[in-house]
Amino acid sequence: MDSGGSKSAAFILLMLNLGLYFIVTIIAAWAVNHGIEKSHESASVLSIPAHIFPIYYPFGNMATGFFVVFSLLAGVVGMGTSLSGINNVLQWDLPNLNAAAASSLITWSLTLLAMGVGCKEIDLGWTQSNLRTLEVMTIIVSATQLFCTGAIHAGVGDAAWQRSQMGRV
């Protein structure tokens, strides 16, 4: 079996995910900064339950705080996974591909968590255009991370098959 196809697909998807996760991290970091700067003046006039709510954002809805935090977490972990995954895919041996597959699966689960909260935020409505951009980018990156995880796992299968054909070296 030739593993050139899954290697090139995994490499291209990792590069694409690195860019997408960078954009998600930038937008989520802006939202965290904006929320920290604006929440003091707007939360001080609210009633007690919302006043002591630890993740209150002055824009969006009640799911915005969770969505922004999970998106920032998924973005940072995704960038780290993409960078280490590029290195692992370029080496293309079984131990490195197993590491890339495991970290890719963890990143995909964090991205799905952020996407799920983002879908809840879409369902609740009343979001600004910057948050809509973050929601759309999170949905897109969850799909590309799924394809990337599949390509890396296909590479693990190819490398394991090649190793079994060669025997122990």
Side-chain angles (χ1 to χ4, degrees):
M1 293 182 117
D2 186 19
S3 60
S6 58
K7 181 178 181 178
S8 62
F11 182 75
I12 290 170
L13 285 169
L14 282 167
M15 293 296 288
L16 176 66
N17 281 346
L18 181 63
L20 290 174
Y21 277 121
F22 181 74
I23 293 169
V24 166
T25 303
I26 294 289
I27 297 171
W30 168 84
V32 166
N33 184 38
H34 185 71
I36 289 171
E37 288 178 356
K38 302 293 182 190
S39 66
H40 178 67
E41 61 239 16
S42 62
S44 62
V45 296
L46 295 174
S47 62
I48 288 297
H51 182 71
I52 60 173
F53 191 65
I55 306 177
Y56 172 75
Y57 275 78
F59 55 92
N61 51 39
M62 293 305 283
T64 300
F66 295 107
F67 174 61
V68 168
V69 169
F70 287 138
S71 294
L72 184 61
L73 179 66
V76 170
V77 171
M79 283 190 345
T81 297
S82 295
L83 285 173
S84 65
I86 289 169
N87 183 32
N88 290 335
V89 165
L90 288 177
Q91 292 181 7
W92 202 258
D93 57 347
L94 194 57
N96 285 322
L97 286 176
N98 281 328
S103 62
S104 178
L105 195 60
I106 291 169
T107 300
W108 184 54
S109 65
L110 284 173
T111 307
L112 284 180
L113 178 65
M115 186 194 74
V117 179
C119 289
K120 181 64 178 177
E121 186 184 35
I122 291 170
D123 184 44
L124 292 175
W126 301 44
T127 59
Q128 294 177 349
S129 63
N130 291 331
L131 291 176
R132 283 190 210 121
T133 304
L134 185 59
E135 293 161 356
V136 168
M137 292 301 292
T138 305
I139 291 169
I140 291 170
V141 80
S142 66
T144 59
Q145 184 65 34
L146 170 66
F147 294 137
C148 182
T149 302
I152 291 173
H153 277 80
V156 169
D158 286 346
W161 183 81
Q162 286 176 356
R163 187 173 186 179
S164 70
Q165 295 301 316
M166 294 171 130
R168 199 152 183 96
V169 178

